[in-house]
Structures are given as structure tokens and as C-alpha cells.
Amino acid sequence: MAELVRIRKKKLQIPISRLRSMLKQIEEKEVDFEEIRKNLDFTASLLEAVYLDGTRQCLESEDDLQQLQSDGVPSEVTDWLASTFTQRIRRPLRRSDEKPKFRSIVHAVQAGIFVERMFKRAYTATMPDQPAAVINCLRDVDRWSFDVFALNSGSSDHALQTLFFELITRYDLNSRFKIRISCLTEFLSALERGYCKYNNPYHNLVHAADVTQTLHCLLLRSGLVHWLTELEVMASLFAAAIHDFEHTGTTNNFHIHTRSEFALIYNDRSVQESHHLSAAFRLLQDDRLNIFINLTREEWMEMRSLVIEMVLATDMSSHLIQVKAMKSSLQQQERIDKPKALSLLLHTADISHPSKPWALHSRWTKALMEEFFRQEYFEDLLNPAIIPSLLEAETGDSGLDSFIT
Ligand SMILES: Nc1nc2c(ncn2[C@@H]2O[C@@H]3COP(=O)(O)O[C@H]3[C@H]2O)c(=O)[nH]1
Ligand SMILES: [Zn+2]
């Protein structure tokens, strides 16, 4: 370890001394722009090499999740882990277009333009009648500690609409894709209605708003936003906003084992995720809700393909495959596949609450536990040994018919 630190220090000596010499030139007002350009280019390349080297060493030293020994772990837990985090390897959805190289440091230094544009539009100018509580919350929209629950209360249970509108206007995507405000508002209202369909304690519009804000935060704070086109930013925010649309509050396994309508439609494959996508894209079939109506055919195809890839990758059963693929890609210094990187980012945002401040994390955990307990109740109802006695005790139907179908 000490040897590694020594080698890394040595590698950094040259760029540090070049930076110092540039600083001296600037201080002494003897600026040779061409030399500074060359020095910056050289320094960025060296830092990038050290960064990639460091990333590779970190990854090599990490435990592989799949190597976890099951000693002492109850078999139900290992079974659950296996059924939740693994799946048969499927042929990945591939796009044959360019695979840009991951150069976040260089791009973060070079770009800057995007962020400037983002802040060009003041939020209050676009939506002057927002309550003070909302404006106050949105001040923290770039922070990891952003309080989405406070936004939801401040906006009278419209956290998703408020947040999506805010981000779209901040990134100026409404101008780029010529999205009419009335269309955006109609679409967002329909989206929120879909999230309220099953009254879920966890998979509701607040979760969708949370994941969208977290994804924005990851894109912005990592500098990845500079690596993306406007279409890719739009697709990412859209994918985050719709990623659990009309979630039934039950797991994919529940759908498969109860042979639900959705399981039949989607042949047991990523049942919920397929439905979220299908139902959200169905909204766009109505021109009044189609926020992408002004996209060219090519833009539409690219957007749709990216959103589909990202949302399907939120299926927890692809977790280990995704992590492994990204690790090996980083280790081999391959060019990173953009859709795969964005998919992993959305999946990261989707399971990010344990890394948030305690007050937020504990609220999410309680909500998720309540949802899991509800599912357990439905499972009991479906147990043939229990159903007759329940039917005797209750006069009406079990309520499951309307839930599952
Ligand atoms: N065990 C556990 N599962 C979680 C936690 N947070 C989220 N999840 C699950 O991870 C899933 C990610 O995708 P979804 O949002 O559809 O549903 C989420 C939950 O089922 C957590 O803190 N613990
Ligand atoms: Zn989710």
C-alpha cells in the first residue's frame, strides 16, 4: 500500500510542478497562452491516467459480491438474494452507435457552457406563483441532502410535477425540444395520477421525484453532464421520472407467482419495468400529452431506445450483471458505453436513499417496509389454506381482484 502511494505521488509530481509554473507565469503577468494550453492538456492527460489507474486498483481490491460465502446466512436470505439480484444472462440490448470514452475530468474542465445555460433562466421568472416553501426547497435541488418530502408538502403533493418542471426549465430543455408548457403540465398531471393509482407507501410520485433529483445531482456533481448531449440529459430525466409509473406496490416475483395479468403480458420478464415503460409511452400517444411531439424521427428513436434501456435496467435482478460489466469495462480502460453508464446511474439513484441523511433514509425505509408488509398480507390472502377462512370472516371480496388485474 505504501509503495502504491509512493508511486502515485511520484506520478503527480510533474503535473503539480507544471501547474505551479503556470501559476507563476500568471502572477508575473508573463502569460504565453500556447504554452499554458499545452501544459494544461498535458496535466489533464496525466491526471486522467492517474485517475484511471486509481479506479482500477480500487476495483481490483474490492470483493466480488458473487463471491459472498453463505456460511451462517439463513437459506431463505440467500434464496431471496439470488432471486432478487440475479437472472439468467440475456442478450443485452445493444446500439451500434459511437461509444465515447469516459473523460469526465477533461470534459469538466473543457465544457462549463452547459452549466452556464442551466442557470440562465431564473426559476421564479418561469413560475412566479410558486409558494415560498417550494422556492426555498428548490434552492437545494443540486444537493445530495435535498428534502423531497418537504418539497412534496410545500407543493401540496405535487413533488414530481414541480421538480420535473424545475429541472427541464433549468436545463433549458423546454426550448431545445420545443415543449409547450401546457403540454408539459398535462403530461405531468397524468404521470402523477399513474403514480397514485395503487396508493403505495413507497413506490409513489415522491419516490419518482426523489430518483429524478438524485440522478440530476449525480450528473451535475460528477461532471458527467458535460459528457452528454441535451437529448441524453432529457432522456435521463424522463427515464427517472417514469421509472416506476403505475407500480403495483408488489415485486416482480409476486407478479410471476400469482400469474398476474402483467406477468402474462410480459412473459415473466422484468414485469413491472416493462409495464412502467409501456404505460408511460402510451401517455405520449395522446398529442396533448406528447412532450416529444417536436422531436425529429431520429431524435425520437434515440430517446425511446435510451429510455427503454435505462428503465429496464432498474430491474433489481440485473444488479450484479450491471456492476460486473461496469467493473470489467473500467478495468480494461474500454470506451464506456453511454447507455450502460446512464442505466447504472439511474439504478444507483433508485437505491440511493441509504446514503442520504438519516431523516430521509429512515422515512424511505419505513415506507418500503410498510409496502413489503402489505404484499405479505396479499400473499397470505392468496394462500389457499387461508383464503376460505378469510372469506368466511369477511362478507365482501378480498379486494385482490381489482388489485391484481
Ligand atoms: N432491502 C432493501 N431494498 C431496498 C431498499 N431501498 C430500495 N430497495 C429495493 O430496491 C428496489 C429498486 O427498485 P424499485 O424502486 O422498483 O424498488 C426498490 C426496493 O424494492 C433498502 O433500503 N433495502
Ligand atoms: Zn424505483
Side-chain angles (χ1 to χ4, degrees), residues 114-127 130 138 141 161-177 179-181 184-185 188 216 230 233-234 237:
F114 208 100
V115 175
E116 245 173 57
R117 277 185 57 189
M118 253 180 81
F119 295 102
K120 205 173 65 187
R121 282 177 169 235
Y123 176 79
T124 42
T126 325
M127 287 188 82
Q130 283 295 317
L138 288 171
V141 77
Q161 286 195 31
T162 314
L163 188 100
F164 196 79
F165 193 94
E166 167 73 5
L167 292 177
I168 292 298
T169 49
R170 268 186 178 229
Y171 282 107
D172 207 17
L173 295 168
N174 51 325
S175 310
R176 165 64 181 81
F177 296 108
I179 304 172
R180 276 183 295 111
I181 296 296
L184 184 57
T185 316
L188 289 172
H216 153 71
E230 285 166 312
V233 176
M234 181 78 228
L237 297 176

Side-chain angles (χ1 to χ4, degrees), residues 203 207 211 243-244 350:
H203 287 105
H207 170 63
V211 174
H243 88 279
D244 275 331
D350 200 16

Side-chain angles (χ1 to χ4, degrees), residues 195 202-203 207-208 211 240 243-244 247 276 314 346-347 349-351:
Y195 273 105
Y202 181 90
H203 287 105
H207 170 63
V211 174
H243 88 279
D244 275 331
H247 197 290
H276 306 322
T314 61
L346 176 58
H347 173 51
D350 200 16
I351 52 173

Side-chain angles (χ1 to χ4, degrees), residues 254 371-382:
F254 182 90
E371 200 168 295
F372 284 159
F373 283 128
R374 280 188 191 185
Q375 174 172 310
E376 201 176 329
Y377 172 74
F378 292 132
E379 280 166 4
D380 287 346
L381 284 180
L382 286 167

Side-chain angles (χ1 to χ4, degrees), residues 161-385:
Q161 286 195 31
T162 314
L163 188 100
F164 196 79
F165 193 94
E166 167 73 5
L167 292 177
I168 292 298
T169 49
R170 268 186 178 229
Y171 282 107
D172 207 17
L173 295 168
N174 51 325
S175 310
R176 165 64 181 81
F177 296 108
K178 301 189 186 68
I179 304 172
R180 276 183 295 111
I181 296 296
S182 59
C183 183
L184 184 57
T185 316
E186 288 273 319
F187 168 74
L188 289 172
S189 300
L191 194 65
E192 286 198 340
R193 280 196 296 279
Y195 273 105
C196 296
K197 198 165 175 181
Y198 296 97
N199 265 324
N200 301 324
Y202 181 90
H203 287 105
N204 51 37
L205 69 92
V206 191
H207 170 63
D210 178 46
V211 174
T212 310
Q213 185 276 332
T214 306
L215 184 77
H216 153 71
C217 192
L218 286 170
L219 290 177
L220 188 71
R221 301 230 155 210
S222 64
L224 281 173
V225 73
H226 304 299
W227 178 57
L228 302 176
T229 63
E230 285 166 312
L231 190 134
E232 286 157 350
V233 176
M234 181 78 228
S236 303
L237 297 176
F238 182 78
I242 66 153
H243 88 279
D244 275 331
F245 182 60
E246 292 190 354
H247 197 290
T248 55
T250 52
T251 60
N252 281 340
N253 276 337
F254 182 90
H255 279 280
I256 294 165
H257 291 297
T258 57
R259 302 181 200 173
S260 75
E261 191 60 28
F262 288 159
L264 289 171
I265 293 174
Y266 301 111
N267 301 312
D268 297 351
R269 306 275 172 91
S270 298
V271 177
Q272 290 265 27
E273 294 72 21
S274 300
H275 176 71
H276 306 322
L277 280 161
S278 171
F281 274 106
R282 199 169 287 281
L283 289 182
L284 303 180
Q285 293 290 93
D286 181 342
D287 284 355
R288 285 165 306 171
L289 310 187
N290 187 1
I291 58 172
F292 299 138
I293 201 163
N294 290 318
L295 265 65
T296 64
R297 195 180 152 70
E298 290 71 32
E299 285 173 338
W300 164 261
M301 294 302 284
E302 189 185 340
M303 170 88 64
R304 181 164 155 80
S305 150
L306 191 50
V307 172
I308 290 175
E309 184 156 352
M310 288 180 76
V311 175
L312 285 180
T314 61
D315 180 349
M316 285 302 281
S317 71
S318 69
H319 174 85
L320 286 176
I321 293 170
Q322 282 195 77
V323 173
K324 226 179 159 140
M326 188 55 66
K327 271 186 181 178
S328 86
S329 171
L330 285 169
Q331 278 167 332
Q332 288 157 23
Q333 295 196 15
E334 277 174 16
R335 282 169 180 270
I336 302 279
D337 179 326
K338 265 185 175 181
K340 279 204 169 39
L342 289 173
S343 299
L344 189 59
L345 221 58
L346 176 58
H347 173 51
T348 305
D350 200 16
I351 52 173
S352 65
H353 71 83
S355 67
K356 299 277 177 82
W358 175 256
L360 300 174
H361 169 54
S362 72
R363 266 186 91 160
W364 286 124
T365 305
K366 278 181 197 139
L368 187 58
M369 282 173 67
E370 193 188 332
E371 200 168 295
F372 284 159
F373 283 128
R374 280 188 191 185
Q375 174 172 310
E376 201 176 329
Y377 172 74
F378 292 132
E379 280 166 4
D380 287 346
L381 284 180
L382 286 167
N383 182 338

